[in-house]
Amino acid sequence: VISVPAAVMFAILLLLFLLLLAVKNVVSPPDLFSGLNAGLPGDVPELTLCPPEFVASIFSHDDQEFVAATKSLHLEKLFKRERKAVALVWVRQTSAAIRRIMREHMIAARQSKDLELMTEVRLLALYVRLMFVCWVLFAVIHSTGPLWLRGLAVYADLLSQRIVGAQQAFGSATVAREIRGAGRI
Amino acid sequence: MLSQSIWWGGLALEVLLLLRGLQGKFARRYYVFYGYISFVLSQDILLFFAYQWRLQFYRDIYWSAEFIGVVLGCGIIFEVFRTELSAYPGVARMARNVLVLVFALAAAKGLANAWNDPRWWVEANTFEIERALRIVQAVSIAALVGLFLSYSISFGRNVRGILLGYGLFIGMRIVCLSFVSIQTHNFWFYAYSGCYLLVLCLWLIHLWSFSAVQQPQTSVRLEEDYQTLAAATRRRLQGARGYLVKAVRP
């Protein structure tokens, strides 16, 4: 037996899907032949985004240290605001590029006779994970700023290195104990 | 009075819809849908006569017709699937698998319920059974629409109207079956009837004239290279992940 709230939830889900269908047709008219010139998979251009050096400097503390050295609160505030805006644009741009990759795949793959459900599900899972990361990055940058994120990443990296070190030490100690134990036998 | 107006309005719209389909000669193309409309029209007329002269049969006729309507409704879903996905064999196969999965899950749940509580079939009223069946239809339509949206499959105006209208009808039917009262004509009774008029208007607008489904030209190269395409997409997505991680991590 399906409960009333579950039934209503199903109905709302269906109506939402239909709304999406109706809206999609109004916003972007059907692109009938877009799959035609998609070309071969090998021809698909790679992700074209900001150069890595530029991106690294968005999250880097170097500029902040430079601005802090001027000891101007106004300048520091302005810098933080601008840096946050740039970081948010970068996240938006990256998520748009990821969406484009998936869309290009869907349009190219839809005409294929050999479409495989499992392969499509795996790609979709990877896509959803990436979009989730983008969403988290967006939320974190929006609430705390890109520099804090870099600090967190540095801390997480240090922590993971310590854990790896501790694991290695523990592993070698265990092996040494086993060797000693084996020697006694 | 309100019931009578809704009833007459529905009847007029159904007749007009059928006439347009026959006049434009596209009723043959969407024969399941027009078969469904003809069935609903004859059901309405039959119920009118039963209501006027044989009230004791009204309930039996109503619920029997409702269940035949559910079956014909499944036919509409398959008709949309058949007409829209003929040019996309891979997506059609996937949609078929998804629909089979939905129906298998629904059948398994029904059997499990009957196994755990054999009195369920006896105790469940017609509202509950129809609601369960309508939910299966809703999930099938949602899965189909999800696939159409994901693969940007273009719709002809006619089929889009059929799917939107029937989906809206199913959604409203589920909500109304959850809240409608058996004894009295409450708000949900009129909401359901009113919504059906809205659905008929939607169908009439979309099916006023024939609109051919434009099929994309087939690309032989892509059909041969699905695995390469999937591998390229995976590589590009993994590249994006590396790009994201490299940007943030030191």
Side-chain angles (χ1 to χ4, degrees):
Chain A
V1 183
I2 298 161
S3 63
V4 170
V8 174
M9 197 194 71
F10 277 118
I12 290 172
L13 187 80
L14 172 67
L15 294 176
L16 277 176
F17 266 77
L18 292 174
L19 191 70
L20 265 177
L21 182 70
V23 168
K24 196 181 178 190
N25 240 290
V26 172
V27 174
S28 57
D31 186 10
L32 280 175
F33 305 109
S34 48
L36 248 185
N37 299 318
L40 269 176
D43 305 337
V44 179
E46 291 305 315
L47 195 71
T48 45
L49 286 167
C50 301
E53 312 86 63
F54 175 77
V55 179
S57 69
I58 298 175
F59 294 94
S60 156
H61 280 272
D62 298 347
D63 294 341
Q64 194 204 13
E65 280 160 12
F66 176 77
V67 172
T70 63
K71 292 192 172 33
S72 160
L73 272 177
H74 175 71
L75 195 63
E76 212 167 334
K77 214 185 264 181
L78 189 72
F79 167 77
K80 277 183 183 163
R81 199 174 58 218
E82 291 301 314
R83 189 49 63 93
K84 187 195 260 191
V86 171
L88 288 176
V89 167
W90 173 76
V91 176
R92 264 195 227 114
Q93 205 181 36
T94 309
S95 66
I98 293 167
R99 272 200 303 274
R100 201 179 58 232
I101 293 173
M102 203 57 191
R103 190 176 150 69
E104 280 172 6
H105 168 80
M106 292 298 209
I107 288 172
R110 67 185 181 182
Q111 281 178 264
S112 170
K113 277 180 188 162
D114 317 317
L115 210 64
E116 282 176 15
L117 183 65
M118 283 322 291
T119 310
E120 292 295 298
V121 169
R122 266 186 227 117
L123 284 175
L124 190 69
L126 183 58
Y127 169 72
V128 169
R129 266 208 314 265
L130 282 173
M131 291 310 286
F132 178 72
V133 169
C134 285
W135 182 80
V136 169
L137 276 177
F138 190 88
V140 170
I141 292 170
H142 198 270
S143 53
T144 59
L147 300 170
W148 185 85
L149 190 72
R150 177 68 164 222
L152 186 74
V154 170
Y155 176 72
D157 204 54
L158 272 174
L159 207 65
S160 66
Q161 274 172 16
R162 270 189 217 158
I163 290 168
V164 168
Q167 253 180 343
Q168 279 170 349
F170 179 74
S172 48
T174 313
V175 170
R177 249 201 325 270
E178 278 172 2
I179 292 170
R180 276 203 301 276
R184 277 193 208 110
I185 293 166
Chain B
M1 182 60 191
L2 185 60
S3 304
Q4 287 282 317
S5 340
I6 290 173
W7 189 87
W8 282 108
L11 209 63
L13 287 171
E14 281 163 7
V15 171
L16 192 58
L17 191 60
L18 272 177
L19 280 178
R20 285 301 304 173
L22 291 170
Q23 220 173 23
K25 293 188 174 68
F26 50 92
R28 203 182 299 167
R29 188 177 163 86
Y30 307 115
Y31 58 91
V32 180
F33 173 74
Y34 282 97
Y36 175 80
I37 295 294
S38 313
F39 170 76
V40 176
L41 181 64
S42 40
Q43 174 196 359
D44 284 349
I45 295 167
L46 192 66
L47 282 172
F48 175 75
F49 285 117
Y51 194 75
Q52 294 291 327
W53 293 291
R54 292 278 186 274
L55 201 55
Q56 69 271 29
F57 296 128
Y58 182 85
R59 186 172 284 245
D60 292 339
I61 296 173
Y62 178 83
W63 285 111
S64 311
E66 276 301 301
F67 284 105
I68 298 170
V70 172
V71 176
L72 286 177
C74 292
I76 293 180
I77 300 170
F78 278 101
E79 184 163 68
V80 170
F81 162 82
R82 177 181 60 82
T83 48
E84 286 301 305
L85 294 180
S86 55
Y88 308 98
V91 183
R93 192 156 45 86
M94 218 154 93
R96 206 167 37 237
N97 290 342
V98 170
L99 288 181
V100 166
L101 186 74
V102 169
F103 284 111
L105 280 176
K109 172 134 178 51
L111 283 174
N113 275 347
W115 182 267
N116 290 333
D117 184 8
R119 288 172 306 158
W120 181 77
W121 288 102
V122 184
E123 285 173 359
N125 59 36
T126 37
F127 279 76
E128 285 174 350
I129 295 172
E130 194 194 336
R131 197 176 64 198
L133 294 173
R134 294 294 188 190
I135 287 172
V136 176
Q137 281 187 322
V139 175
S140 322
I141 295 174
L144 209 55
V145 171
L147 270 181
F148 286 149
L149 288 174
S150 312
Y151 287 94
S152 301
I153 287 170
S154 52
F155 276 94
R157 191 164 44 89
N158 299 151
V159 178
R160 192 171 70 240
I162 292 175
L163 195 63
L164 281 176
Y166 193 65
L168 182 65
F169 168 72
I170 295 295
M172 279 308 289
R173 184 77 183 152
I174 292 170
V175 174
C176 294
L177 282 168
S178 304
F179 299 113
V180 79
S181 158
I182 306 173
Q183 280 83 27
T184 56
H185 284 188
N186 63 3
F187 166 76
W188 292 106
F189 174 82
Y190 292 109
Y192 166 63
S193 313
C195 174
Y196 181 59
L197 281 189
L198 182 74
V199 168
L200 282 173
C201 290
L202 201 71
W203 277 335
L204 205 57
I205 292 167
H206 283 87
L207 292 151
W208 189 255
S209 59
F210 179 66
S211 149
V213 180
Q214 288 173 283
Q215 305 287 14
Q217 290 171 15
T218 49
S219 169
V220 179
R221 290 169 77 198
L222 282 172
E223 283 172 7
E224 290 164 355
D225 289 289
Y226 172 69
Q227 288 304 336
T228 326
L229 172 73
T233 307
R234 196 179 303 119
R235 185 165 46 77
R236 292 177 74 197
L237 286 175
Q238 277 164 351
R241 185 170 60 185
Y243 177 77
L244 272 172
V245 170
K246 217 185 318 180
V248 182
R249 288 185 75 178

